[in-house]
PDB file of all heavy atoms in Angstrom:
ATOM      1  N   ALA A  50       2.123  -7.406  -7.524  1.00  0.00           N
ATOM      2  CA  ALA A  50       3.024  -6.376  -7.651  1.00  0.00           C
ATOM      3  C   ALA A  50       2.319  -4.998  -7.491  1.00  0.00           C
ATOM      4  O   ALA A  50       2.867  -4.124  -6.811  1.00  0.00           O
ATOM      5  CB  ALA A  50       3.862  -6.465  -9.001  1.00  0.00           C
ATOM      6  N   LYS A  51       1.182  -4.793  -8.206  1.00  0.00           N
ATOM      7  CA  LYS A  51       0.430  -3.634  -8.069  1.00  0.00           C
ATOM      8  C   LYS A  51      -0.172  -3.441  -6.775  1.00  0.00           C
ATOM      9  O   LYS A  51      -0.112  -2.282  -6.250  1.00  0.00           O
ATOM     10  CB  LYS A  51      -0.513  -3.511  -9.259  1.00  0.00           C
ATOM     11  CG  LYS A  51       0.072  -3.359 -10.487  1.00  0.00           C
ATOM     12  CD  LYS A  51      -0.946  -3.263 -11.642  1.00  0.00           C
ATOM     13  CE  LYS A  51      -0.008  -3.061 -12.964  1.00  0.00           C
ATOM     14  NZ  LYS A  51      -0.721  -2.455 -13.991  1.00  0.00           N
ATOM     15  N   ALA A  52      -0.640  -4.443  -6.079  1.00  0.00           N
ATOM     16  CA  ALA A  52      -1.082  -4.280  -4.661  1.00  0.00           C
ATOM     17  C   ALA A  52       0.013  -4.022  -3.855  1.00  0.00           C
ATOM     18  O   ALA A  52      -0.025  -3.026  -2.861  1.00  0.00           O
ATOM     19  CB  ALA A  52      -1.660  -5.656  -4.281  1.00  0.00           C
ATOM     20  N   THR A  53       1.188  -4.534  -3.998  1.00  0.00           N
ATOM     21  CA  THR A  53       2.350  -4.167  -3.098  1.00  0.00           C
ATOM     22  C   THR A  53       2.877  -2.864  -3.360  1.00  0.00           C
ATOM     23  O   THR A  53       3.152  -2.070  -2.467  1.00  0.00           O
ATOM     24  CB  THR A  53       3.508  -5.221  -3.462  1.00  0.00           C
ATOM     25  OG1 THR A  53       2.929  -6.560  -3.213  1.00  0.00           O
ATOM     26  CG2 THR A  53       4.618  -4.968  -2.440  1.00  0.00           C
ATOM     27  N   LEU A  54       2.900  -2.410  -4.678  1.00  0.00           N
ATOM     28  CA  LEU A  54       3.193  -1.027  -5.008  1.00  0.00           C
ATOM     29  C   LEU A  54       2.338   0.004  -4.321  1.00  0.00           C
ATOM     30  O   LEU A  54       2.722   1.084  -3.848  1.00  0.00           O
ATOM     31  CB  LEU A  54       3.381  -0.800  -6.377  1.00  0.00           C
ATOM     32  CG  LEU A  54       3.851   0.532  -6.950  1.00  0.00           C
ATOM     33  CD1 LEU A  54       5.215   0.803  -6.349  1.00  0.00           C
ATOM     34  CD2 LEU A  54       3.940   0.541  -8.442  1.00  0.00           C
ATOM     35  N   HIS A  55       1.079  -0.284  -4.254  1.00  0.00           N
ATOM     36  CA  HIS A  55       0.104   0.517  -3.668  1.00  0.00           C
ATOM     37  C   HIS A  55       0.241   0.711  -2.184  1.00  0.00           C
ATOM     38  O   HIS A  55       0.345   1.792  -1.592  1.00  0.00           O
ATOM     39  CB  HIS A  55      -1.298  -0.033  -3.917  1.00  0.00           C
ATOM     40  CG  HIS A  55      -2.485   0.698  -3.060  1.00  0.00           C
ATOM     41  ND1 HIS A  55      -2.901   0.248  -1.931  1.00  0.00           N
ATOM     42  CD2 HIS A  55      -3.189   1.865  -3.432  1.00  0.00           C
ATOM     43  CE1 HIS A  55      -3.850   1.126  -1.480  1.00  0.00           C
ATOM     44  NE2 HIS A  55      -3.976   2.022  -2.371  1.00  0.00           N
ATOM     45  N   CYS A  56       0.534  -0.455  -1.495  1.00  0.00           N
ATOM     46  CA  CYS A  56       0.927  -0.340  -0.093  1.00  0.00           C
ATOM     47  C   CYS A  56       2.345   0.317   0.243  1.00  0.00           C
ATOM     48  O   CYS A  56       2.421   1.087   1.054  1.00  0.00           O
ATOM     49  CB  CYS A  56       0.877  -1.853   0.591  1.00  0.00           C
ATOM     50  SG  CYS A  56      -0.663  -2.559   0.734  1.00  0.00           S
ATOM     51  N   LEU A  57       3.179   0.040  -0.677  1.00  0.00           N
ATOM     52  CA  LEU A  57       4.562   0.660  -0.567  1.00  0.00           C
ATOM     53  C   LEU A  57       4.525   2.155  -0.638  1.00  0.00           C
ATOM     54  O   LEU A  57       5.207   2.929   0.092  1.00  0.00           O
ATOM     55  CB  LEU A  57       5.424   0.078  -1.581  1.00  0.00           C
ATOM     56  CG  LEU A  57       6.965   0.493  -1.471  1.00  0.00           C
ATOM     57  CD1 LEU A  57       7.581  -0.205  -0.230  1.00  0.00           C
ATOM     58  CD2 LEU A  57       7.728  -0.006  -2.683  1.00  0.00           C
ATOM     59  N   THR A  58       3.634   2.614  -1.434  1.00  0.00           N
ATOM     60  CA  THR A  58       3.517   4.075  -1.647  1.00  0.00           C
ATOM     61  C   THR A  58       3.020   4.822  -0.241  1.00  0.00           C
ATOM     62  O   THR A  58       3.667   5.733   0.077  1.00  0.00           O
ATOM     63  CB  THR A  58       2.469   4.475  -2.649  1.00  0.00           C
ATOM     64  OG1 THR A  58       2.869   3.859  -3.910  1.00  0.00           O
ATOM     65  CG2 THR A  58       2.260   5.989  -2.914  1.00  0.00           C
ATOM     66  N   GLY A  59       2.038   4.148   0.421  1.00  0.00           N
ATOM     67  CA  GLY A  59       1.639   4.664   1.630  1.00  0.00           C
ATOM     68  C   GLY A  59       2.714   4.538   2.678  1.00  0.00           C
ATOM     69  O   GLY A  59       3.055   5.452   3.498  1.00  0.00           O
ATOM     70  N   CYS A  60       3.350   3.317   2.669  1.00  0.00           N
ATOM     71  CA  CYS A  60       4.511   3.163   3.674  1.00  0.00           C
ATOM     72  C   CYS A  60       5.660   4.135   3.427  1.00  0.00           C
ATOM     73  O   CYS A  60       6.179   4.601   4.403  1.00  0.00           O
ATOM     74  CB  CYS A  60       5.118   1.674   3.448  1.00  0.00           C
ATOM     75  SG  CYS A  60       3.927   0.411   4.107  1.00  0.00           S
ATOM     76  N   ALA A  61       5.916   4.396   2.061  1.00  0.00           N
ATOM     77  CA  ALA A  61       7.148   5.374   1.942  1.00  0.00           C
ATOM     78  C   ALA A  61       6.716   6.636   2.425  1.00  0.00           C
ATOM     79  O   ALA A  61       7.616   7.310   2.993  1.00  0.00           O
ATOM     80  CB  ALA A  61       7.541   5.183   0.435  1.00  0.00           C
TER      81      ALA A  61
END
Side-chain angles (χ1 to χ4, degrees):
K51 288 183 182 202
T53 305
L54 186 59
H55 174 263
C56 287
L57 187 68
T58 301
C60 287

